[in-house]
Amino acid sequence: MCKDGLYLLKYPNYFIGDDYEKIIILVKEILKNKPFIDIKSGLCIFDVYFNDYYGIVFEIKYNFWDSNYFDVKLIIHIDSIFLFEMDYFDIVKLGLKGNIYFYNDRYYFEPVEKINIKRLGDVFEYGELVYGEDVFNIVNKGIRWFIKQTHNFS
């Protein structure tokens, strides 16, 4: 059982549209099924990031309090930007379409359309998901260009 912690749950290809009740249903499922949360006491903060091209990421922060109550705080980040830190040549090799950012000697790919689950698996194989506050510096300070669907060499 965790006393204090940060947990990350990813739901790729899970889209909610404008139905925010789905987030509440997922939060209830997580609280019911996750053994790292001590339901007896503490504060559980759910930072929820989602968009229409990736899906949902739950960043769960849990703080143990020596008390007799449990509190949940839900923060929903609407239209979050998800980037994938990848090598430029992997982006081209996978035939991805979207924005590329160059920032601090690294390349970041931003999808501009839904990625099917097989292709998303390939993206995760070659890249790492970046979201939240880290994205703002990349998007605002990085060099951006758009690539159309490229040839898939795999």
Side-chain angles (χ1 to χ4, degrees):
M1 181 90 41
C2 177
K3 296 293 183 198
D4 294 309
L6 172 68
Y7 302 92
L8 188 66
L9 298 174
K10 300 174 186 174
Y11 290 83
N13 279 0
Y14 188 94
F15 304 105
I16 63 167
D18 291 331
D19 187 4
Y20 302 119
E21 286 294 318
K22 288 182 181 179
I23 291 176
I24 294 170
I25 291 168
L26 280 173
V27 167
K28 287 179 181 178
E29 288 288 319
I30 291 167
L31 287 172
K32 190 166 68 174
N33 297 318
K34 295 298 174 192
F36 56 79
I37 297 173
D38 182 1
I39 298 290
K40 296 176 188 131
S41 65
L43 172 66
C44 191
I45 302 170
F46 285 82
D47 268 317
V48 183
Y49 300 88
F50 69 92
N51 72 14
D52 290 334
Y53 303 130
Y54 171 76
I56 300 177
V57 170
F58 285 95
E59 190 176 85
I60 305 168
K61 299 170 193 144
Y62 178 71
N63 297 306
F64 175 78
W65 291 341
D66 192 16
S67 66
N68 292 328
Y69 69 93
F70 180 77
D71 199 8
V72 174
K73 183 177 182 179
L74 184 62
I75 303 167
I76 300 173
H77 305 273
I78 299 172
D79 293 329
S80 301
I81 298 173
F82 292 109
L83 303 177
F84 295 91
E85 182 180 336
M86 302 175 72
D87 185 85
Y88 175 78
F89 295 104
D90 290 332
I91 296 169
V92 172
K93 180 173 78 171
L94 291 173
L96 300 172
K97 178 181 177 181
N99 294 315
I100 296 178
Y101 295 90
F102 183 73
Y103 180 71
N104 282 348
D105 296 325
R106 293 188 172 106
Y107 290 95
Y108 299 89
F109 171 71
E110 176 188 15
V112 295
E113 60 188 14
K114 288 184 183 176
I115 302 174
N116 70 43
I117 196 72
K118 181 200 177 303
R119 183 56 48 105
L120 191 59
D122 294 338
V123 170
F124 274 117
E125 182 178 335
Y126 292 101
E128 183 176 329
L129 182 65
V130 180
Y131 65 95
E133 292 183 25
D134 295 335
V135 169
F136 292 108
N137 282 333
I138 296 166
V139 169
N140 292 321
K141 296 179 182 176
I143 299 169
R144 181 186 131 207
W145 67 93
F146 179 78
I147 61 168
K148 296 179 181 178
Q149 188 113 18
T150 58
H151 300 289
N152 187 344
F153 298 109
S154 54

